[in-house]
Structures are given as structure tokens and as C-alpha cells.
């Protein structure tokens, strides 16, 4: 069977009628015991399984997914990748993710379709420009590439924006991260799944967690719809459903779950070659490789697990987009969806051991989960393998809420991006 993707293997399989490809990943029945269990078959869970095997040599791992691989937030986001955050702790964790994204296709032998097309965040007032200048200074000090743009710079990069006199959202300038961009969400999930499976990880779909096995005050495994599975180390990366599983384990998390919705238009010829974010309209826009305009906005501010969102919020998103780009007014919308995001008080993730020893957390990414997948996987894998924090993950431990050491990134992650 052909395992490695290359120009030569594509040619050989083309000659052979595409009959020799190995399955992308195995789907075995669960074993009764593993060295480690990972709950959640989205990007963070799959990345954790891969890095646990690759970086730490732990391959007797079960990845358990209630539905199908990539069927949650990983398949319901808007694919933006960036690292231009304000605080040093955030710059370190998102910077790690960003650096791994740049080589992800080579690392996984799977095209993740990372495109460094640049991220433009607009400023619509003099006060907005002052805030932008402060942000750029902090981001540059953190070692992240970022520039302050004038209105002329914005006009050069996005000439189709609404620069007409009297517009509700005039452009004064903005911030620009040239190395930011997008990746293909499905490809990221499938690439990690394939790579983890090749290293020996068991990917088990349609396997719902119904309870935790707790003995002597420690997590010793899980009870699932496919039977009990034991391990001394369990990692949990289930995004908006983190609080639900935490309740099953007997503790509470400072997490609220909200719907974050987006939509795509019919495909059109290339018209915008970067990602444009407007904090004032609460809208951001990019164009996919297929030509669809990907349009996102702010959270639905009612706690929900509905994966479709609601029409009033969608109406506001479309209205904001048309204020920014009247040229899009005749486009037809093709699809609309929502992901369930887990928001914590300081808009920063939670990474570390839970109040139940033996159960480790990766949650609280809010609207920033997709861009952080490689870092979230690397850091949770380190915790599972060593029982100790990586230097980058230590500031994001759950105990920061008791210590009062919050990392308040609401300004950097409050808008849906």
C-alpha cells in the first residue's frame, strides 16, 4: 500500500487507477487500557495525539471522539492564523502555533494549505489609531512581526474597501501582520489524524464519554458508549463542551459557551487577497482558495450549544460587511454555520492539570482555537508526557484565577477571529 504522499506516488497511483492508497487513518475498536487517553477529535485533540507520539514516543494512545473527526469547531471556523497578541505570554503561545503552521504541511506530509496572505486590522478613528500604535509597539517588543498602517497603506492593500466621503466607518489606518493568513480547517484535522495514526495512535470515533473512572481521588480512565477505557493520564480538548465534561468529572470551570457564527458566499474571481478585520463593525472577511468570501462576526451573546446561531446576529454581520465592502452587495450567500466556543473571563486559554488529578485540560480558547491548534497540541502533549508544565503553558494554568494573574486579551480576541 502507498503511504507517503509525493509527486512520484501520485504519478504511480494514477497509473494504477488509484487503487493502492493506504487508508488515511485506522479506525480500530478500543482496547481496555492505554498509556494515555485524549478526549476530543478536533484539531487540538488530534494535534495532542500526534505530538505525544512524535515528541515523546508515547504511541499507545486512544483518541476518543463523540462524533466524527473534525466535526466540531475545527470544521466550523474561519481558518485565520495569526500571532499578533498584546501580552508576552500570549505572543509566546500563539507565536509557537504560528511557527508550527508554517512547516505543518511538510511535518505531516499533508497539505494544510497554509497561506501567509497578511492580516489587516482597521482603525476607524483617531482614538483607534492611538490604540493601534500602542498595540504595534507591544507586539513588536514581543518579537512578532507587525506594522502600523496609514490610510494610504490600507488603500494600497485593500482598494475595494469603502473609502467614500461620509461613510459610517472611515479608515484612519490600522495594523498589519504580513505573516498572518489562513489554513484549510479540514486539511489540518485530516493531516494530524493521518500522521497520528501512522505513529500508532488509535482514533476511535462515535465514542461518547458518559463518565470518568475515579479511584483514590484520581482519574483512572473513562466510561464510554463503547465500554470502559483505562489510562493513568487523560487529556481533555473539547472546546465549547468543556464545562459539560468537567461536571461529569465533579468540578466547575470558569467557562461560558457561546455560538460563533459565520457564512460563505458563492465563489467569485479573486478580489481580496488578505484578511481584513474591523473591530468597529465586528466583522472580518477573507476569500478562500475556491473563491468564496468567508465572513465572520462577533459572538452570539446568549449561552448556547446551537450550531446554527441566530438570524439577528447574522443580519448584523452582513450589514457590517456591506458597510465595509458595498461591492459585495449582489453576492448570494451559500452556507451559514456556528461553532460552540468556550470563553473564560480573561479571554485566554486554560492549559494544565484539572482539580481532578490525572485529568489535564486544554480549553478556553474562545474565538482563537483554530489558530492555536499546533501549540495547544504541543503543550497538552508535554503535560501528559511529563506531568509538568512547559514554560509557555505555565501562565495559563487554572490556578491563575486564584492567584489573580489574569492575561486579559479581550482586546486581542474579543472580536470573532
Amino acid at each position: 500500500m502507498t503511504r507517503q504522499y509525493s509527486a512520484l506516488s501520485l504519478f504511480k497511483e494514477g497509473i494504477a487507477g488509484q487503487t493502492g492508497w493506504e487508508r488515511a487513518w485506522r479506525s480500530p475498536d478500543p482496547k481496555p487500557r492505554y498509556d494515555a487517553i485524549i478526549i476530543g477529535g478536533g484539531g487540538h485533540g488530534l494535534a495532542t495525539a500526534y505530538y505525544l507520539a512524535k515528541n515523546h514516543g508515547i504511541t499507545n494512545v486512544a483518541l476518543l471522539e463523540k462524533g466524527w473527526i473534525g466535526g466540531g469547531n475545527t470544521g466550523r471556523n474561519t481558518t485565520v492564523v495569526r500571532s499578533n497578541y498584546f501580552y508576552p505570554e500570549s505572543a509566546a503561545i500563539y507565536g509557537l502555533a504560528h511557527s508550527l503552521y508554517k512547516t505543518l504541511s511538510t511535518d505531516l506530509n499533508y497539505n494544510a494549505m497554509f497561506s501567509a496572505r497578511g492580516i489587516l486590522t482597521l482603525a476607524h478613528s483617531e482614538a483607534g489609531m492611538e490604540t493601534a500604535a500602542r498595540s504595534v509597539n507591544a507586539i513588536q517588543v514581543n518579537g512578532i512581526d507587525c506594522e502600523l498602517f496609514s490610510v494610504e497603506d490600507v488603500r494600497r492593500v485593500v482598494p475595494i474597501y469603502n473609502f467614500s466621503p461620509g461613510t459610517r466607518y472611515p479608515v484612519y489606518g490600522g495594523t498589519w501582520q504580513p505573516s498572518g493568513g489562513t489554513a484549510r480547517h479540514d486539511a489540518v484535522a485530516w493531516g494530524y489524524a493521518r500522521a497520528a495514526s501512522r505513529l500508532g495512535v488509535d482514533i476511535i470515533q462515535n465514542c461518547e464519554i458518559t463518565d470518568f473512572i475515579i479511584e483514590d481521588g484520581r482519574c483512572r480512565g473513562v466510561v464510554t458508549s463503547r465500554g470502559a477505557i483505562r489510562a493513568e493520564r487523560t487529556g481533555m480538548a473539547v472546546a465549547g463542551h468543556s464545562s459539560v465534561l468537567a461536571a461529569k468529572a465533579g468540578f466547575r470551570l470558569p467557562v461560558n459557551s457561546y455560538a460563533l457564527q459565520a457564512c460563505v458566499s458563492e465563489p467569485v474571481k479573486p478580489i481580496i487577497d488578505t484578511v481584513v478585520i474591523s473591530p468597529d463593525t465586528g466583522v472580518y472577511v477573507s476569500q478562500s482558495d475556491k473563491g468564496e468570501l468567508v465572513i465572520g462576526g462577533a459572538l452570539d451573546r446568549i449561552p448556547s450549544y446551537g450550531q446554527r446561531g441566530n438570524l439577528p446576529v447574522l443580519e448584523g454581520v452582513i450589514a457590517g460587511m456591506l458597510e465595509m465592502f458595498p461591492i459585495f452587495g449582489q453576492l448570494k450567500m451559500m452556507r451559514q454555520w456556528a461553532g460552540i466556543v468556550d470563553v473564560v473571563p480573561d479571554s485566554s486559554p486554560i492549559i494544565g492539570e484539572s482539580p481532578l488529578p490525572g485529568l489535564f485540560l486544554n480549553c478556553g480558547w474562545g474565538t482563537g482555537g483554530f489558530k492555536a491548534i499546533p501549540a495547544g497540541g504541543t503543550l497538552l502533549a508535554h503535560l501528559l508526557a511529563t506531568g509538568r508544565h512547559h514554560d509557555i503553558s505555565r501562565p495559563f494554568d487554572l490556578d491563575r484565577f486564584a492567584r489573580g494573574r489574569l492575561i486579559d486579551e479581550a482586546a486581542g480576541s474579543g472580536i470573532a477571529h
Side-chain angles (χ1 to χ4, degrees):
M1 303 295 288
T2 303
R3 302 179 66 189
Q4 188 75 10
Y5 293 156
S6 66
L8 178 60
S9 65
L10 288 173
F11 176 77
K12 289 172 60 179
E13 286 301 323
I15 296 296
Q18 309 293 345
T19 58
W21 291 113
E22 183 183 67
R23 291 181 67 89
W25 60 82
R26 298 173 298 107
S27 297
D29 292 327
K31 297 183 293 190
R33 181 174 291 275
Y34 290 88
D35 293 333
I37 293 169
I38 299 165
I39 306 170
H44 283 266
L46 292 164
T48 300
Y50 171 69
Y51 292 119
L52 198 57
K54 179 190 176 188
N55 296 345
H56 303 282
I58 301 174
T59 59
N60 184 28
V61 176
L63 183 136
L64 310 179
E65 167 55 41
K66 176 182 177 180
W68 64 93
I69 295 300
N73 286 359
T74 301
R76 294 173 175 271
N77 65 80
T78 46
T79 75
V80 174
V81 175
R82 65 182 182 86
S83 57
N84 53 343
Y85 278 73
F86 188 86
Y87 289 101
E89 298 89 345
S90 303
I93 198 167
Y94 288 103
L96 171 63
H98 197 172
S99 66
L100 291 171
Y101 261 119
K102 293 175 183 178
T103 60
L104 192 60
S105 296
T106 301
D107 294 342
L108 301 181
N109 184 229
Y110 198 95
N111 186 7
M113 301 173 68
F114 174 69
S115 171
R117 59 186 64 186
I119 305 284
L120 174 62
T121 304
L122 298 171
H124 297 289
S125 65
E126 291 182 2
M129 279 300 291
E130 291 179 5
T131 300
R134 181 171 178 261
S135 296
V136 168
N137 289 337
I139 293 166
Q140 290 179 346
V141 168
N142 291 335
I144 303 297
D145 62 311
C146 194
E147 305 172 28
L148 186 67
F149 262 24
S150 67
V151 64
E152 290 77 17
D153 293 323
V154 174
R155 191 184 295 271
R156 170 175 53 83
V157 173
V158 194
I160 62 171
Y161 189 85
N162 181 11
F163 292 99
S164 61
T167 181
R168 289 179 60 193
Y169 298 98
V171 171
Y172 282 67
T175 68
W176 170 252
Q177 184 180 18
S179 67
T182 61
R184 177 69 184 179
H185 46 68
D186 293 332
V188 172
W190 298 337
Y192 272 122
R194 176 177 177 271
S197 180
R198 290 184 64 180
L199 292 174
V201 173
D202 285 356
I203 296 176
I204 303 166
Q205 302 177 81
N206 300 307
C207 184
E208 182 178 1
I209 307 300
T210 59
D211 205 352
F212 288 85
I213 300 172
I214 303 173
E215 297 173 351
D216 300 323
R218 184 177 181 84
C219 180
R220 306 287 184 180
V222 293
V223 180
T224 79
S225 56
R226 299 180 65 175
I229 305 174
R230 288 181 170 268
E232 291 301 306
R233 295 164 286 187
T234 299
M236 189 172 82
V238 295
H241 291 80
S242 299
S243 55
V244 176
L245 281 185
K248 293 181 184 293
F251 60 88
R252 292 185 62 189
L253 288 173
V255 168
N256 286 315
S257 296
Y258 299 99
L260 175 63
Q261 61 182 306
C263 55
V264 295
S265 75
E266 61 184 319
V268 294
K269 292 182 178 180
I271 192 171
I272 181 169
D273 61 358
T274 188
V275 181
V276 181
I277 301 170
S278 171
D280 286 27
T281 65
V283 173
Y284 68 106
V285 182
S286 65
Q287 189 169 17
S288 75
D289 293 336
K290 294 190 295 184
E292 302 164 340
L293 292 173
V294 183
I295 306 158
L299 298 173
D300 293 16
R301 287 294 181 181
I302 300 173
S304 170
Y305 292 101
Q307 291 183 312
R308 291 191 62 84
N310 65 67
L311 289 176
V313 172
L314 182 62
E315 182 181 21
V317 171
I318 298 299
M321 184 268 292
L322 292 178
E323 288 284 349
M324 298 163 62
F325 300 102
I327 193 174
F328 297 155
Q330 298 301 311
L331 285 177
K332 296 180 176 65
M333 292 294 108
M334 288 205 313
R335 298 187 304 279
Q336 178 268 342
W337 66 89
I340 308 305
V341 298
D342 46 341
V343 179
V344 299
D346 62 353
S347 298
S348 288
I350 298 171
I351 303 175
E353 192 166 20
S354 77
L356 175 62
L359 177 61
F360 296 86
L361 304 172
N362 173 348
C363 64
W365 293 97
T367 63
F370 179 78
K371 69 175 69 69
I373 282 173
T378 297
L379 298 174
L380 183 57
H382 185 276
L383 277 162
L384 288 168
T386 67
R388 302 186 304 275
H389 270 291
H390 189 285
D391 289 343
I392 292 176
S393 66
R394 181 66 190 88
F396 298 95
D397 193 274
L398 187 62
D399 69 2
R400 74 178 185 270
F401 297 101
R403 295 185 295 118
R405 295 298 300 271
L406 305 187
I407 307 167
D408 191 352
E409 283 288 1
S413 58
I415 185 174
H417 55 286

